Amino acid sequence: MSEDLGGFVIGYVPAGVDGEVSDFASEWEGVRFRTRVWERQVAEGWRVDLRVHVLRGSRLGTLDALREFLADYHERDAAAWPLTEFTEGDVTGLVGGGEAFRLVEPGVAIDVRAEPERVPESELRAVAAGVRPVAAAPELAAD
């Protein structure tokens, strides 16, 4: 597994989220997903503690468009989805129901999902805000 997830690094993972970590790539309705999943073995099998998605697609032009896309993807009624706007540092997004998401720029978004009883909303916001573009390599100084 690479530290880089679709051109981004995950700067914060809540305490207690551990176990097996896997990366996946997929596409749905013209949006490309790069996903990192943390899961652990439990008596019933495996349980996912946290998912971080980097989404890329032209239909993700605004935060409202991202909300509509995610509602469709999760088969939810967008109008009935109880979300609250959040700001963490210089990041603004929406959070609720075990999910926090934000638009990085038109066409690029971050989506974080977890079980609400395992990862509180404040932690979801921190994870979403902590997903940042991979820093460009510093220029080598000329001698």
Side-chain angles (χ1 to χ4, degrees):
M1 177 194 66
S2 165
E3 290 295 319
D4 178 334
L5 181 67
F8 288 80
V9 292
I10 300 166
Y12 176 73
V13 175
V17 171
D18 56 11
E20 298 291 321
V21 181
S22 304
D23 286 0
F24 303 94
S26 60
E27 186 171 331
W28 188 78
E29 297 288 324
V31 174
R32 294 178 315 281
F33 288 67
R34 293 286 185 197
T35 303
R36 183 159 297 153
V37 175
W38 287 258
E39 60 186 341
R40 59 192 163 83
Q41 195 162 17
V42 295
E44 303 81 27
W46 289 88
R47 173 164 295 144
V48 173
D49 284 343
L50 181 70
R51 289 181 187 94
V52 175
H53 306 281
V54 175
L55 309 173
R56 293 180 186 275
S58 60
R59 67 188 287 183
L60 308 176
T62 65
L63 188 57
D64 286 338
L66 174 59
R67 176 187 180 142
E68 290 293 324
F69 171 79
L70 290 172
D72 192 29
Y73 180 73
H74 297 308
E75 299 180 347
R76 292 180 172 153
D77 177 356
W81 191 6
L83 295 168
T84 305
E85 187 173 298
F86 74 89
T87 301
E88 289 275 330
D90 61 346
V91 170
T92 299
L94 296 171
V95 64
E99 188 161 9
F101 54 90
R102 67 185 181 94
L103 195 67
V104 176
E105 62 186 48
V108 182
I110 303 300
D111 179 40
V112 178
R113 300 188 69 210
E115 292 297 323
E117 54 278 349
R118 181 103 175 120
V119 179
E121 198 170 274
S122 61
E123 296 286 306
L124 281 177
R125 293 191 313 257
V127 174
V131 179
R132 300 289 187 169
V134 173
E139 294 293 325
L140 295 175
D143 289 327

